[in-house]
Amino acid sequence: MAYAMVSIGVIGFVVWAHHMYTVGMNVDLKAYFVAATMVIAVPTGIKIFSWIAPMQGGSIEFKGSDAVGHRLHLPVHGGRRHWRRAGGTPVSTTPCMTPTTSSRTSTTCCRFGAVFGLFAGWYYWFEKMFGIKYNGMIGGLHFWLMFIGSNVLFFPQHFLGLQGMPRRYIDYADGFHTWHYWSSVGYLITLAATTVFFIGLVEAFVRRRKGVANPWGEGATTLEWTLPSPPPFHQYSELPHFTGKGGH
């Protein structure tokens, strides 16, 4: 995982012109950037499967399951780099990228992959940070609304790009109305999800259900789960010794 992330960082510095196939570069230069973009998909695949592997044999509960949403969103939509998406590697090639340059397809970048990662951390450490429990049903509702809404919001943007819709336009032709309409529906669902998130936040602080030191059971073995929730300001008199096998 560490080597994969370093490789992505290094190779990421030499793939930038896959955004610039239409500026007049020669065929050999295009071939290089296509190859470099394809290569960076390898450490990215290692990273994705490293995220998925710990789920094997585990017990997944869909209560605030934003970590699952993160794992599903990032390979499909990803960030700005096309090679992070399931359809991104073909888009990095000149036959696919040239006709879609500066269209919605070439710039549809779903930030929700990162947002779900942030929400996953929020729910994972919420009880530890504040010493109170959140409502699992509200957390699950927030996840599903956000997951459905973000996909309804962003997936139509790919189709708009394939139809020829340019990016960064404040208006559009009537022929693009349908997919813009569905993107707006997705936005409203996402807005509802955000409202549910704040409702859950208020509910948790109003009800103030007392949290426990380790709500995740024996699988949570890092140092923070050995402390009460919330942790005291002064935590250890001596530097703790961590064996790396669940013992301290």
Side-chain angles (χ1 to χ4, degrees):
M1 182 65 166
Y3 285 125
M5 295 176 69
V6 171
S7 299
I8 292 170
V10 172
I11 303 173
F13 280 103
V14 295
V15 299
W16 47 271
H18 65 202
H19 295 280
M20 303 170 60
Y21 290 140
T22 59
V23 301
M25 67 176 67
N26 60 52
V27 175
D28 292 336
L29 194 56
K30 288 181 180 179
Y32 159 73
F33 282 107
V34 169
T37 305
M38 294 290 188
V39 168
I40 204 170
V42 175
T44 302
I46 294 173
K47 181 175 67 173
I48 297 298
F49 283 108
S50 295
W51 287 337
I52 297 174
M55 299 167 67
Q56 181 181 6
S59 178
I60 302 174
E61 297 183 8
F62 288 93
K63 295 186 295 185
S65 307
D66 292 273
V68 180
H70 169 72
R71 285 159 173 77
L72 292 175
H73 266 72
L74 203 60
V76 177
H77 295 290
R80 291 209 47 167
R81 295 288 180 256
H82 302 303
W83 38 262
R84 289 183 184 174
R85 302 198 299 260
T89 304
V91 173
S92 70
T93 62
T94 52
C96 297
M97 190 63 186
T98 300
T100 58
T101 294
S102 295
S103 73
R104 290 284 189 178
T105 296
S106 67
T107 56
T108 299
C109 44
C110 185
R111 299 289 190 247
F112 279 93
V115 170
F116 274 102
L118 293 173
F119 278 129
W122 172 261
Y123 284 117
Y124 185 65
W125 281 294
F126 180 88
E127 193 166 335
K128 176 58 62 178
M129 290 188 294
F130 302 108
I132 56 178
K133 297 179 181 290
Y134 65 86
N135 187 301
M137 183 176 296
I138 296 177
L141 179 62
H142 167 234
F143 163 74
W144 283 112
L145 285 175
M146 185 69 76
F147 184 77
I148 294 171
S150 61
N151 276 284
V152 175
L153 170 59
F154 281 99
F155 255 111
Q157 303 296 314
H158 295 283
F159 308 141
L160 285 168
L162 293 175
Q163 289 179 351
M165 173 69 190
R167 62 176 177 168
R168 297 171 182 170
Y169 271 46
I170 62 172
D171 202 358
Y172 53 87
D174 291 342
F176 300 127
H177 171 75
T178 300
W179 290 122
H180 276 285
Y181 171 81
W182 283 108
S183 281
S184 298
V185 171
Y187 158 73
L188 292 175
I189 298 174
T190 304
L191 180 62
T194 304
T195 303
V196 170
F197 170 76
F198 284 108
I199 290 174
L201 189 62
V202 172
E203 191 272 348
F205 280 96
V206 170
R207 297 291 298 275
R208 302 197 69 83
R209 294 174 290 272
K210 184 173 178 58
V212 297
N214 184 359
W216 303 109
E218 60 182 18
T221 59
T222 48
L223 288 175
E224 70 267 35
W225 307 113
T226 65
L227 298 168
S229 298
F233 287 105
H234 184 76
Q235 300 167 358
Y236 297 101
S237 298
E238 298 180 1
L239 187 67
H241 176 68
F242 181 63
T243 65
K245 298 181 179 178
H248 306 287

